[in-house]
Amino acid sequence: SQTIHQWPATLVQPVGSPLSLECTVEGTSNPNLYWYRQAAGRGLQLLFYSVGIGQISSEVPQNLSASRPQDRQFILSSKKLLLSDSGFYLCALRTRKANYGYTFGSGTRLTVV
Amino acid sequence: GNSVTQMEGPVTLSEEAFLTINCTYTATGYPSLFWYVQYPGEGLQLLLKATKADDKGSNKGFEATYRKETTSFHLEKGSVQVSDSAVYFCALSPYGGATNKLIFGTGTLLAVQP
């Protein structure tokens, strides 16, 4: 079965420091991959999605970026973190086998101090 | 455009009470509909889904029926438990293929008290 791994689970970073969050997938190939942020409240904000290697679509302008160097790897990065980047970051995948639903990773809690 | 509206919450219930969380949607064509659950500190898990009108999704005692005439997909459970305390998200997948993004509602916090 398909699984999705995210790490680290929690992260505390100072303002202005770089960021790299990694998401890897097992049990499927050529998935669509997504990065979401959940800030303070409960809503989910789609940040980036990718339909293939090197293909990134950005949903909102911000100081974050994403890359997909391999089929099963999706990376969220920042060169300089802002306080407003704090939140719960979720990676998700979507394949046809899931009848178009998502499988989510366990998330990374990022606190920028 | 496509959108999902769900009740704001929080919803606070006593154990064994009946639960309804309302969800309505706007979409063209025939979307698929989902309920996801997020337990504290965790990612989202698929709770149930329905892919066509009048389908009923069910799992762990939860049910939701795809009502095209009222564009609704309300989540129900006959007797909630403390362990059901979580945030519940309604979502839709627009008709047309797996490359489409899921559209999520804002989430409803459910707190079940013993």
Side-chain angles (χ1 to χ4, degrees), chain A residues 32 34 36 38 42-44 46 49 51 59 88 90 94-96 98-107 109, chain B residues 8-9 32 34 36 38 41-44 46 49 51 87 89 93 97-102 104-109:
Chain A
N32 293 343
Y34 307 82
Y36 282 85
Q38 196 175 24
R42 304 177 301 276
L44 293 167
L46 179 61
Y49 71 95
V51 299
E59 289 292 296
F88 192 48
L90 290 160
R94 190 178 195 192
T95 70
R96 292 183 183 276
N99 197 15
Y100 307 123
Y102 283 4
T103 298
F104 281 88
S106 54
R109 173 74 60 192
Chain B
E8 277 290 323
S32 295
F34 305 84
Y36 283 84
Q38 184 181 30
E42 299 183 8
L44 279 70
L46 178 64
K49 65 184 180 190
T51 58
V87 179
F89 290 90
S93 173
T99 57
N100 286 330
K101 297 159 281 187
L102 282 188
F104 286 91
T106 53
T108 301
L109 174 63

Side-chain angles (χ1 to χ4, degrees), chain A residues 44-56:
Chain A
L44 293 167
Q45 180 185 33
L46 179 61
L47 302 175
F48 301 95
Y49 71 95
S50 171
V51 299
I53 296 174
Q55 301 179 63
I56 306 295

